[in-house]
Amino acid sequence: MSHCKRLAITAGEPAGIGPDLIIQLVQKSHPDELIAICDPEMLCARALQLDMPIVIEKFNPEDPPSPTVARTIKVLPVQLSRTVIAGQLDTKNANYVLETLTIAANGCLSGQFDAMVTAPVHKGIINDAGIPFSGHTEFLETLTGSQQVVMMLATEGLKVALVTTHIPLNQVATAITQPLLRTIIEVLRHDLIHTFGISSPRIIVSGLNPHAGEGGHMGREEIDTIEPVLNELRNKGYELQGPLPADTLFTPKYLNHCDAVLAMYHDQGLPVLKYKGFGNAVNITLGMPIIRTSVDHGTALDLAGTGKADIGSLTLAIHYAAEMARNKSKSIHES
């Protein structure tokens, strides 16, 4: 089991801050091998614009993984369709963005990479190019043939997973069914064990309604859907607390005794996490046969090429990806 992990980093939207973040990141050495999947000429041009020294080496998959040397980056080359100007989107490069994701994911599936880390993409410009695309998560779910993925964001001292993600609020209650909730909790617990190394994960589950329904007076979803699933899984040995009111569960009384929170919908759980750790949080996709982490921010076109982009989230995403890869290797080795 190699201690040094090989991580694929997709540079995301080439007109955004993804290339900047990679260049800024490798100004220092890293204990794991970072492989940028992007156009090397674009990376060179952006490094010149940022006035940051960088040496680009072509990635050779036959070489054993080795730590990243400061101001050096290995690149698996993918050619842009059109030369990029920082801050200016171009539909001609939409396919390039998706190709980098496909190469990274397939490399993880084949074992060439231990994990993939994604810089931000611009959904709008991909759709403007005539390609249906709702996001990294859905794209990778299809590509890897996963049955049910779970979106989780993590920052220091808090992990929040979601039952539903990017759907209108008026569709949430209908979307939360017993089979979906059961599967989400099973995926969350499995990955907390096998990729986070938590032997007996303690999960807090929020209610859907204010005051967790207040005994049915403010909605019956807790009684009809959530509680039956939690009781069923508790009988299988799952450590689950809830359903708890979302307005009080994010307090030390509960968080000091749990490993993750499961929120029912996007804006129930993520405002708290982003208040606590925006810029130092990481987006993690659970439920896939590969490890994928991502930054918690967008393409920031206005910052591209300025050198003012903050590498905090990408640094954390790389740290999580490497640690998850090590825990996964250990779990496979011990099983």
Side-chain angles (χ1 to χ4, degrees):
M1 181 175 68
S2 173
H3 183 71
C4 176
K5 294 300 178 184
R6 178 170 277 166
L7 310 178
I9 306 178
T10 56
E13 167 52 51
I17 60 170
D20 304 46
L21 294 175
I22 292 173
I23 293 160
Q24 292 173 234
L25 183 82
V26 299
Q27 295 303 303
K28 294 183 178 180
S29 60
H30 288 265
D32 295 289
E33 185 175 55
L34 310 180
I35 311 296
I37 301 181
C38 63
D39 189 315
E41 290 184 14
M42 177 268 297
L43 211 56
C44 281
R46 192 66 59 87
L48 281 172
Q49 189 173 353
L50 295 173
D51 194 23
M52 290 186 178
I54 189 171
V55 175
I56 290 178
E57 298 178 351
K58 188 172 182 180
F59 168 58
N60 182 357
E62 302 302 318
D63 292 339
S66 60
T68 299
V69 177
R71 293 178 291 283
T72 302
I73 182 71
K74 292 180 181 175
V75 174
L76 194 164
V78 181
Q79 193 170 1
L80 283 161
S81 297
R82 187 176 288 177
T83 302
V84 167
I85 299 172
Q88 295 186 23
L89 297 169
D90 190 334
T91 54
K92 297 289 184 185
N93 288 323
N95 277 309
Y96 156 87
V97 173
L98 299 184
E99 188 181 354
T100 64
L101 292 176
T102 302
I103 289 170
N106 285 335
C108 289
L109 287 169
S110 71
Q112 184 179 69
F113 304 122
D114 295 299
M116 65 182 287
V117 180
T118 57
V121 298
H122 194 288
K123 297 176 193 175
I125 200 68
I126 296 172
N127 284 298
D128 287 347
I131 305 166
F133 181 81
S134 54
H136 273 118
T137 304
E138 295 82 1
F139 182 81
L140 294 171
E141 180 178 25
T142 302
L143 188 63
T144 58
S146 303
Q147 297 300 308
Q148 178 66 61
V149 298
V150 176
M151 180 179 176
M152 183 172 83
L153 267 75
T155 190
E156 182 66 34
L158 182 63
K159 296 182 181 71
V160 178
L162 304 174
V163 178
T164 62
T165 54
H166 302 122
I167 62 173
L169 193 56
N170 64 6
Q171 296 176 18
V172 169
T174 308
I176 299 171
T177 62
Q178 286 195 21
L180 175 68
L181 183 59
R182 185 183 302 112
T183 302
I184 295 281
I185 295 173
E186 288 170 348
V187 168
L188 175 58
R189 182 176 183 269
H190 175 276
D191 281 20
L192 288 172
I193 293 170
H194 295 286
T195 60
F196 285 90
I198 303 168
S199 57
S200 298
R202 300 162 300 172
I203 300 168
I204 288 179
V205 181
S206 74
L208 173 66
N209 298 294
H211 302 178
E214 212 165 82
H217 295 289
M218 274 195 277
R220 291 195 54 86
E221 284 82 6
E222 287 76 14
I223 295 169
D224 296 338
T225 304
I226 302 173
E227 287 176 4
V229 172
L230 299 191
N231 288 332
E232 174 194 331
L233 294 175
R234 284 188 190 107
N235 289 334
K236 294 183 177 180
Y238 286 39
E239 288 194 52
L240 303 170
Q241 192 171 2
L244 293 177
D247 66 339
T248 54
L249 73 80
F250 290 101
T251 54
K253 174 184 176 181
Y254 297 111
L255 296 182
N256 289 346
H257 306 285
C258 88
D259 298 298
V261 172
L262 181 63
M264 290 294 128
Y265 56 94
H266 187 280
D267 282 15
Q268 183 184 55
L270 296 194
V272 179
L273 184 130
K274 291 193 175 185
Y275 176 75
K276 177 176 170 57
F278 190 74
N280 284 294
V282 55
N283 190 340
I284 302 166
T285 307
L286 308 178
M288 294 195 298
I290 66 174
I291 293 169
R292 178 258 172 164
T293 66
S294 185
V295 295
D296 69 343
H297 55 73
T299 52
L301 296 167
D302 57 322
L303 295 179
T306 67
K308 295 178 182 177
D310 188 333
I311 64 169
S313 184
L314 181 61
T315 302
L316 198 63
I318 287 167
H319 169 75
Y320 268 94
E323 287 305 302
M324 290 169 70
R326 277 186 261 281
N327 287 328
K328 186 177 181 180
S329 297
K330 185 179 178 184
S331 177
I332 291 169
H333 182 71
E334 290 175 350
S335 62

